[in-house]
């Protein structure tokens, strides 16, 4: 028997209201993402790929349809329930890293753990473990401004995986990086999938990034191609 | 566990200049707040310490102060024979019939005139009744001579009031033969001489007040009701502490109300300042807020992080203000005692109560200033907040 998909999306629709106008972004999308997948979502601007990613990540609300992630129907959750769900199940990787500038690399990575019941010592162990995965153990007392773009993105990845979520969502993770750093980040994400069994959903414009993914889906005008 | 306090603290530290400027604004308000309370406290302490709870002041009925009072010799003699009056070691009643007159003296340096209390006292009873009064220079006046002693702050601040100098009042020249210290009490702002000499000089046929020590402190009520009901007497009796507290009440109340009004007006400005600062802080950190929310922090975590930041800002202001105000303790103020229309020297007094009140006040300002911006931060839409970073 095959393993059930980790993400099951059914008839998902979302539209935005701009003044009196209603702009449809996603119209009745249905698809599955298998566990351990490295999926790239591509498409022109305004195709709805970021919206789809936000919906899967539980930071936006769908109009209709359902999103089941690891068996949990997240469209029915309240704000607070969603926040709690995100803390344990989703890791975020952003285009501009979104590290907190006043916190050190260590503290940035530790942030999601503050929402758990781990002790200070356990948190330290977790943070050190993931920083060693991204190869930044020697930089943990540095502030984001003291790190290069590639290093900042690696800290952000460490932060995304520190709670050991099953799904990682990445919005243009290489969009702000030079080629070498982008390569490094993509390899790291690939390792997370192959070595650690994570499911990565990445939105990108960059064909080279898409190449690294195991599966590429195209979105156009709110529909999957 | 929510967002750590170090996050709020370090954000304040990161924008130090804005923090210091905003906190200084709040600090000024706290300074005014603390300083007026300290002033009222200093005034009250000075006047209250002047009195002793075992001493009774007898004045003419419904006269608020010794200056307005007059007690005739026969009435004073009647009071003297009351059984509640304590007897001193020398077998004499511990009772002083005193005269209080206001005169006008010029200050050293500025030559500005100010009212000074001249107290005609009985030696040694007046001194025994006020143990705080200590001769620090010279000697006591000899009875029958035109000699006076001056309180420390009078000797320092008034022309002719220093040791060995001569004062002219009551159509006579009076030699200052001693200087006394009465601590933080109002007596430090008086000039003392022999009561009989003074009555002659000022042509006063009556005493101003009769002060005596109670044989037993608990006998006051009995004494008061009997003496005030005696048809031969038109006097009232007050415990000395009560008498001085009543004197300070009006002025202290005036200072407190003035302080409150000033503080409230100023604090509106400071709170608006804090609000603007915190709105700017929120606006600069929109993406950060979106990120924290995406990571799973709840609205109330964001709310409390920004409220804490604003409280810390207020606390900085409070500490600055209290430090500033504590320096005011070095300053001695002399002002008109509105009850006796005489000069009274006192200091700003910082008590633990005022300290806590000031810090609490600064926290309240921080809270009010930070609430709206923090609320706005917590209500942000995650997707829009993340997008705004661009």
């Amino acid at each position: 028997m095959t393993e059930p998909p980790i993400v099951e999306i059914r008839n998902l629709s979302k539209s935005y209201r701009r003044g009196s106008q209603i702009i449809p972004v996603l119209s009745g999308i249905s698809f599955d993402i298998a566990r351990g997948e490295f999926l790239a979502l591509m498409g022109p601007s305004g195709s709805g790929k970021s919206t789809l990613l936000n919906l899967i990540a539980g930071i936006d609300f769908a109009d209709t349809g359902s999103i089941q992630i690891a068996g949990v129907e997240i469209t029915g959750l309240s704000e607070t329930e969603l926040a709690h769900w995100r803390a344990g199940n989703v890791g975020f990787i952003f285009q501009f890293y979104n590290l907190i500038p006043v916190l050190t690399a260590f503290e940035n990575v530790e942030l999601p753990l503050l929402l758990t019941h781990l002790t200070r010592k356990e948190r330290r162990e977790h943070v050190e473990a993931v920083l060693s995965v991204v190869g930044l153990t020697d930089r943990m007392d540095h502030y984001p401004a003291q790190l290069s773009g590639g290093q900042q993105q690696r800290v952000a990845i460490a932060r995304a995986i520190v709670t050991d979520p099953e799904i990682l969502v990445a919005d243009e993770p290489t969009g702000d990086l030079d080629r070498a750093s982008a390569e490094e980040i993509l390899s790291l994400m690939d390792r997370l999938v192959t070595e650690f069994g994570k499911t990565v959903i990445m939105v990108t414009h960059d064909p080279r990034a898409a190449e690294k993914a195991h599966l590429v889906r195209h979105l156009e005008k709110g529909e999957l191609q | 566990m929510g967002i750590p306090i170090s996050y709020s603290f370090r954000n304040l530290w990161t924008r130090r200049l804005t923090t210091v400027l905003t906190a200084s604004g709040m600090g000024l308000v706290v300074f005014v707040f603390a300083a007026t309370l300290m002033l009222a406290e200093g005034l009250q302490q000075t006047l209250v310490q002047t009195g002793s709870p075992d001493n009774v002041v007898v004045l003419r009925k419904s006269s608020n102060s010794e200056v307005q009072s007059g007690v005739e010799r026969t009435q004073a003699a009647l009071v003297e024979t009351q059984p509640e009056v304590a007897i001193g070691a020398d077998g004499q009643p511990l009772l002083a019939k005193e005269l209080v007159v206001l005169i006008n003296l010029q200050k050293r340096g500025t030559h500005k005139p100010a009212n000074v209390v001249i107290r005609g006292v009985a030696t040694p009873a007046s001194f025994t009744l006020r143990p705080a009064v200590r001769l620090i220079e010279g000697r006591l006046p000899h009875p029958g001579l035109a000699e006076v002693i001056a309180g420390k702050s009078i000797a320092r601040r008034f022309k002719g009031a220093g040791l060995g100098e001569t004062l002219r009042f009551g159509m006579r020249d009076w030699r200052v033969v001693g200087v006394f210290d009465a601590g933080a009490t109002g007596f430090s702002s008086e000039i003392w001489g022999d009561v009989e000499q003074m009555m002659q000089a000022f042509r006063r046929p009556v005493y101003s007040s009769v002060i005596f020590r109670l044989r037993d402190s608990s006998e006051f009520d009995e004494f008061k009701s009997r003496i005030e009901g005696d048809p031969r007497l038109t006097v009232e009796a007050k415990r000395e502490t009560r008498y001085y507290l009543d004197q300070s009440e009006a002025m202290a109340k005036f200072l407190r109300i003035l302080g409150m009004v000033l503080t409230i007006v100023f604090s509106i400005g400071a709170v608006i300042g804090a609000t603007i600062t915190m709105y700017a802080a929120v606006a600069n950190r929109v993406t950060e807020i979106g990120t924290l929310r995406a990571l799973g922090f709840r609205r109330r975590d964001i709310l409390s992080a920004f409220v804490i930041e604003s409280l810390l800002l207020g606390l900085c202001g409070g500490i600055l203000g209290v430090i500033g105000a504590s320096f005011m303790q070095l300053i001695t103020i002399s002002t008109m005692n509105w009850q006796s229309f005489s000069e009274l020297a006192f200091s700003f007094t910082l008590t633990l109560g005022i300290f806590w009140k000031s810090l609490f006040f600064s926290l309240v300002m921080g809270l009010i200033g930070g609430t709206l911006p923090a609320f706005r931060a917590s209500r942000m839409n995650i997707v829009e907040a993340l997008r705004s970073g661009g």
Side-chain angles (χ1 to χ4, degrees):
Chain A
M1 206 179 111
T2 52
E3 214 182 336
I6 187 157
V7 179
E8 289 175 77
I9 293 172
R10 296 289 175 269
N11 295 318
L12 190 65
S13 292
K14 170 83 183 171
S15 51
Y16 285 114
R17 188 182 289 274
R18 189 169 296 159
S20 56
Q21 246 184 325
I22 291 174
I23 304 158
V25 186
L26 298 174
S27 30
I29 287 183
S30 299
F31 77 111
D32 294 342
I33 301 169
R35 204 176 283 270
E37 186 66 88
F38 187 174
L39 170 72
L41 283 173
M42 295 194 76
S45 294
S47 59
K49 54 190 190 310
S50 288
T51 302
L52 180 58
L53 192 75
N54 291 340
L55 288 170
I56 296 171
I59 55 172
D60 206 349
F61 294 90
D63 296 342
T64 57
S66 90
I67 308 168
Q68 277 202 22
I69 294 179
V72 179
E73 176 59 56
I74 63 163
T75 50
L77 298 179
S78 71
E79 274 253 12
T80 317
E81 288 167 334
L82 257 181
H84 183 73
W85 175 82
R86 283 196 302 272
N89 297 282
V90 189
F92 286 86
I93 302 166
F94 303 95
Q95 180 176 3
F96 298 103
Y97 337 123
N98 292 18
L99 298 177
I100 309 297
V102 298
L103 302 181
T104 62
F106 180 94
E107 290 163 334
N108 265 289
V109 176
E110 191 189 21
L111 266 181
L113 295 180
L114 298 177
L115 294 163
T116 65
H117 296 294
L118 296 181
T119 63
R120 202 187 176 81
K121 187 166 163 280
E122 289 167 330
R123 290 203 302 269
R124 173 159 280 278
E125 286 165 6
H126 278 69
V127 172
E128 284 172 355
V130 292
L131 279 172
S132 83
V133 168
V134 300
L136 281 176
T137 316
D138 54 336
R139 296 297 168 93
M140 61 185 180
D141 294 326
H142 290 218
Y143 286 92
Q146 299 167 316
L147 300 172
S148 72
Q151 287 171 331
Q152 289 191 50
Q153 193 61 299
R154 272 146 71 194
V155 173
I157 290 174
R159 179 178 67 185
I161 59 175
V162 74
T163 54
D164 199 22
E166 285 200 81
I167 296 181
L168 298 177
V169 295
D171 196 349
E172 303 275 8
T174 57
D176 195 47
L177 296 174
D178 60 60
R179 223 163 123 192
S181 304
E183 278 298 321
E184 220 179 322
I185 294 301
L186 288 167
S187 308
L188 182 56
M189 286 167 66
D190 187 51
R191 249 183 85 203
L192 294 177
V193 174
T194 50
E195 240 176 81
F196 297 91
K198 306 286 175 209
T199 307
V200 174
I201 307 160
M202 168 175 72
V203 161
T204 186
H205 274 111
D206 180 2
R208 266 191 300 269
E211 245 170 57
K212 273 275 184 184
H214 306 167
L215 183 68
V216 181
R217 302 291 304 256
H218 287 269
L219 257 157
E220 217 150 298
K221 292 184 182 160
E223 285 172 28
L224 272 175
Q225 302 298 304
Chain B
M1 198 165 152
I3 298 164
I5 290 180
S6 59
Y7 168 77
S8 307
F9 182 77
R10 282 191 218 162
N11 272 304
L12 286 175
W13 181 248
T14 305
R15 51 187 163 88
R16 300 186 263 291
L17 185 65
T18 320
T19 301
V20 167
L21 289 176
T22 313
S24 303
M26 293 166 116
L28 276 176
V29 180
V30 174
F31 174 81
V32 172
F33 177 80
T36 41
L37 288 185
M38 283 163 71
L39 202 60
E41 182 69 28
L43 176 76
Q44 206 139 33
Q45 278 194 13
T46 298
L47 283 171
V48 171
Q49 276 172 20
T50 305
S52 150
D54 289 341
N55 287 357
V56 177
V57 181
V58 179
L59 301 169
R60 193 190 61 210
K61 247 183 195 127
S62 62
S63 54
N64 291 320
S65 75
E66 285 174 296
V67 176
Q68 301 160 13
S69 165
V71 181
E72 283 181 32
R73 284 175 183 271
T74 48
Q75 299 199 358
L78 265 170
V79 173
E80 196 169 7
T81 57
Q82 297 301 313
E84 288 85 359
V85 179
I87 304 295
D90 54 0
Q92 297 296 312
L94 266 178
L95 174 139
K97 295 172 252 184
E98 297 185 344
L99 176 72
V100 171
V101 183
L102 281 177
I103 60 158
N104 214 274
L105 290 181
Q106 283 186 340
K107 288 194 179 172
R108 290 188 198 275
T110 63
H111 303 292
K112 275 191 187 157
N115 284 333
V116 173
V117 168
I118 303 278
R119 186 180 292 273
V121 297
T123 319
S126 289
F127 293 89
T128 319
L129 288 168
R130 281 85 169 222
V133 176
R134 283 183 307 114
L135 199 66
I136 51 170
E137 275 182 283
R139 56 172 174 82
L140 293 179
H142 290 309
L145 290 180
E147 293 178 342
V148 292
I149 54 174
K152 203 173 64 173
S153 52
I154 294 291
R156 197 176 61 237
R157 293 185 301 121
F158 283 89
K159 230 166 77 176
L163 183 66
E165 293 182 297
T166 308
L167 288 166
R168 176 150 189 96
F169 59 83
M171 293 186 287
R172 282 162 79 171
D173 289 318
W174 303 77
R175 219 154 71 80
V176 181
V177 298
V179 174
F180 65 90
D181 181 11
T185 68
F187 297 124
S188 288
S189 304
E190 293 184 354
I191 293 173
W192 286 16
D194 180 49
V195 64
E196 297 303 328
Q197 292 290 319
M198 294 290 172
M199 285 173 83
Q200 280 178 31
F202 289 107
R203 295 181 174 31
R204 293 285 177 99
V206 297
Y207 298 109
S208 299
S209 59
V210 176
I211 289 112
F212 70 90
R213 172 83 39 88
L214 281 168
R215 185 176 62 183
D216 179 347
S217 189
S218 62
E219 290 179 336
F220 173 74
D221 291 330
E222 197 191 326
F223 170 79
K224 182 181 167 72
S225 62
R226 192 176 65 249
I227 203 162
E228 288 178 6
D230 192 325
R232 295 169 297 174
L233 297 171
T234 52
V235 296
E236 63 180 325
K238 283 181 181 177
R239 279 191 200 268
E240 207 180 22
T241 40
R242 178 82 235 162
Y243 168 72
Y244 285 108
L245 188 68
D246 287 349
Q247 289 224 331
S248 67
E249 204 48 64
M251 185 70 176
K253 199 168 158 189
F254 169 74
L255 283 174
R256 285 198 184 102
I257 291 173
L258 181 74
M260 284 304 144
V261 172
L262 280 178
T263 309
I264 288 168
V265 173
F266 287 176
S267 68
I268 294 172
V271 164
I272 291 172
T275 308
I276 292 169
T277 303
M278 289 308 296
Y279 264 129
V282 171
N284 284 333
R285 304 218 294 272
V286 171
T287 318
E288 218 169 291
I289 294 162
T291 308
L292 288 168
R293 294 270 283 117
L295 292 180
F297 288 98
R298 290 155 302 179
R299 286 180 191 277
R300 63 163 179 268
D301 295 321
I302 305 288
L303 185 80
S304 57
F306 278 91
V307 167
I308 286 170
E309 192 166 322
S310 187
L311 284 175
L312 284 173
L313 187 65
L315 194 64
C316 289
I319 290 168
L320 284 178
V322 171
I323 289 173
S326 70
F327 281 109
M328 297 300 284
Q329 291 187 104
L330 304 173
I331 297 173
T332 299
I333 290 265
S334 79
T335 187
M336 187 78 95
N337 174 358
W338 291 102
Q339 229 68 37
S340 64
F341 301 102
S342 60
E343 275 280 311
L344 180 73
F346 60 98
S347 311
F348 287 86
T349 308
L350 181 61
T351 61
L352 207 60
I354 294 175
F355 174 80
W356 288 121
K357 266 186 211 161
S358 303
L359 287 193
F360 179 72
F361 175 62
S362 69
L363 286 174
V364 169
M365 281 199 292
L367 182 70
I368 297 174
T371 300
L372 279 178
F375 200 65
R376 174 160 157 185
S378 75
R379 301 296 302 173
M380 262 173 206
N381 178 294
I382 304 176
V383 175
E384 281 167 23
L386 285 172
R387 200 180 289 149
S388 78

